[in-house]
Amino acid sequence: MSTSIQWVRSLIFNAQMYVAMLVVGILYTPAAIWSADGAVAGCHAYCRYIRWSAGWIIGLKSEIRGEPPTDEVMVAPKHQSFLDVLMIYGAMPRGKFIFKAILKYAPIIGQFGLRIGCIPVDRGKRGQAIKQMVADVRAGRARPGQLIIYPQGTRIAPGVKAPYKIGTGALYRELGQPVVPVATNVGVFWPKRGVMRKPGTAVFEFLPRIEPGLDVDEFMTRLEHDIETASDRLNKEAGFYG
C-alpha cells in the first residue's frame, strides 16, 4: 500500500475516532450520571471500538499479552501514544489514571475520567497529590481499582531514553501495593505526533508484578529494567531497531 493512501486512511481514522468519542459520550452520559459503573462501561465500549476500527481502517491490530490484574494494584506502563491508554484501560476491570489536572476540563475525557476515579495532578504539586492519594487509600475514600501511573510522566517515542520519575517509587513505598510493569511497542505504529498510522500489530504486555518490600531505589531500578528490556524486545519484534 502506498504511503499516500495510508496517510488518507490515517486521516479518516483519526477523524472518526473523535466523532466516536462524542457519540459514545452522549450515549453513555445518562448511565454515567446514574452510576460510576455506567462511566466505566462507556469507556470500555470506546476502547473496544477504537481497537476494532483501527484494525480495518488503518490495518493496525492490537494484542494484549500477559495477565491483566483485577485486584488492588498499581500499574506502571510504558507510554508511547493515545492507543496504549485505550489498550491498558480496556484490558482491566476498574482502571483509574493519574493524569494532568488540565485534562479534567477536556470535553468528555475530563468528565468521564473523573467519574471513573481518575486522579488529576497539578504540574509541580505531585508530592502533595501523592500524600492525598495515600491518605485516601488508607481511609477507604479512594475508588477501588487498578491505579495507573506512567513512570516517565509523558509519551516517549520508541528508542528514546528518558528518566523514570520518583513519584512511582514514592507511591510504591507508601501504598504497599504490588506494581505491575507494562511494556509496549505501540509507538512504532502510532507515533507521539502526526497523522500517519502504520499497519501492523501493536503489542501491550503485562509483565510479572513487583511485590511490596523493596527499597525505593531497588524498586525503581527493577521497574525501569523490566519495562525497557521488554519494550525493546517488542520494538524489535515490530521491526524497529533504533
Side-chain angles (χ1 to χ4, degrees):
M1 182 184 301
S2 70
T3 301
S4 59
I5 292 176
Q6 185 65 23
W7 189 92
V8 171
R9 293 177 69 174
S10 299
L11 182 64
I12 293 170
F13 170 77
N14 293 342
Q16 66 87 39
M17 181 174 69
Y18 292 105
V19 172
M21 183 183 295
L22 177 61
V23 171
V24 171
I26 292 172
L27 290 177
Y28 279 88
T29 288
I33 293 173
W34 179 262
S35 168
D37 290 340
V40 171
C43 292
H44 279 151
Y46 183 71
C47 293
R48 290 193 300 270
Y49 172 76
I50 295 302
R51 290 184 64 189
W52 172 77
S53 63
W56 69 270
I57 295 178
I58 56 176
L60 178 56
K61 302 186 183 303
S62 51
E63 177 184 344
I64 302 291
R65 296 180 185 172
E67 189 67 31
T70 58
D71 53 337
E72 294 284 314
V73 297
M74 287 173 55
V75 180
K78 185 76 172 176
H79 189 20
Q80 296 180 339
S81 77
F82 183 54
L83 181 58
D84 61 62
V85 175
L86 303 180
M87 288 177 70
I88 192 168
Y89 185 81
M92 298 184 297
R94 301 291 302 198
K96 50 184 180 179
F97 292 89
I98 296 177
F99 66 172
K100 295 176 183 178
I102 194 171
L103 289 177
K104 68 184 179 182
Y105 301 110
I108 302 175
I109 291 177
Q111 290 73 45
F112 273 74
L114 293 174
R115 193 71 172 118
I116 65 176
C118 292
I119 303 163
V121 176
D122 289 314
R123 187 180 297 274
K125 297 182 180 178
R126 185 173 293 266
Q128 179 181 331
I130 288 173
K131 290 179 181 178
Q132 185 60 53
M133 276 183 275
V134 171
D136 288 347
V137 169
R138 290 177 176 172
R141 293 189 298 267
R143 196 181 299 279
Q146 298 78 45
L147 179 63
I148 305 164
I149 178 171
Y150 290 108
Q152 291 175 292
T154 189
R155 293 170 295 174
I156 304 296
V160 174
K161 299 302 179 184
Y164 278 59
K165 298 185 176 181
I166 198 63
T168 307
L171 278 173
Y172 167 80
R173 179 188 62 212
E174 297 297 331
L175 293 179
Q177 293 180 346
V179 174
V180 179
V182 189
T184 188
N185 62 6
V186 171
V188 174
F189 309 99
W190 185 317
K192 179 177 179 178
R193 295 185 179 88
V195 171
M196 188 69 161
R197 309 285 182 256
K198 300 177 183 178
T201 301
V203 178
F204 201 79
E205 184 173 347
F206 289 89
L207 304 172
R209 61 180 59 196
I210 303 174
E211 298 296 338
L214 302 178
D215 65 51
V216 172
D217 288 342
E218 185 179 2
F219 163 75
M220 293 300 298
T221 299
R222 178 174 168 186
L223 180 71
E224 181 173 355
H225 173 269
D226 289 358
I227 293 175
E228 293 300 313
T229 300
S231 293
D232 287 345
R233 168 174 50 81
L234 294 177
N235 289 339
K236 291 177 183 177
E237 182 180 311
F240 179 85
Y241 294 93

